[in-house]
Amino acid sequence: MDDAALLQVALEQARTGRAEGGVPIGAAILIDGVVVGAGHNRRVQLGSAIRHGETDALEVAGRLPASAYRRATIATTLSPCDMCTGAILLYGIPRVVIGENRTFLGGEDLLRSRGVEVVNLDSAECFELMGDFIREHPEIWNEDIGEE
């Protein structure tokens, strides 16, 4: 599965989150050619402080050995925030595919400084989905990124 196809899995998750009334950010984890976890931001749906797309995908993947995560690529529709950047580093995921970072620039520099390969596909589809959501629900978006 190439990067664009993996991002499409994450984008479908983002659309699911949007349809549920949540923030449209999705993620998918690929290990050895198999998607082992895919999820979406569920902060609104679950009343959660930490269920971002990346952390949801990790939850769906479940308990895997560290060696599995060291072979993984995680795709996310939006540049990962500091919390999700930390999770990527904690699990030793060596590669991150980002849908876009124009809406929000997360911890990409930290990831790179720690040897993680970061690929930004600059997807117009991801950018449009987030832009529409932010215009319609600025209060939810600001809460999600820790702003007032």
Side-chain angles (χ1 to χ4, degrees):
M1 176 176 285
D2 68 8
D3 292 346
L6 185 60
L7 182 62
Q8 283 303 310
V9 174
L11 192 51
E12 284 304 313
Q13 286 290 317
R15 288 189 192 107
T16 297
R18 180 73 169 110
E20 294 172 353
V23 180
I25 300 170
I29 301 168
L30 184 74
I31 300 175
D32 300 333
V34 176
V35 175
V36 298
H40 52 277
N41 186 305
R42 295 178 195 246
R43 291 186 70 250
V44 171
Q45 299 91 313
L46 298 177
S48 171
I50 61 169
R51 209 62 170 272
H52 284 193
E54 298 90 338
T55 57
D56 193 51
L58 286 164
E59 181 69 19
V60 170
R63 293 177 63 190
L64 299 174
S67 60
Y69 286 112
R70 289 188 200 113
R71 298 189 312 274
T73 295
I74 187 168
T76 179
T77 57
L78 186 64
S79 183
C81 72
D82 289 343
M83 178 178 66
C84 294
T85 294
I88 291 164
L89 293 173
L90 176 68
Y91 286 96
I93 298 172
R95 192 162 186 275
V96 179
V97 174
I98 297 169
E100 64 102 355
N101 66 3
R102 290 180 281 159
T103 303
F104 176 82
L105 179 60
E108 295 176 37
D109 288 341
L110 177 58
L111 290 168
R112 287 186 190 97
S113 77
R114 299 281 294 274
V116 175
E117 179 185 357
V118 178
V119 177
N120 180 2
L121 297 183
D122 196 25
S123 162
E125 204 169 359
C126 291
F127 180 71
E128 182 178 313
L129 185 63
M130 278 308 305
D132 289 348
F133 178 81
I134 291 167
R135 279 187 294 282
E136 294 168 19
H137 302 284
E139 70 290 346
I140 295 173
W141 170 245
N142 287 333
E143 177 190 327
D144 200 65
I145 60 171
E147 300 286 330
E148 289 295 326

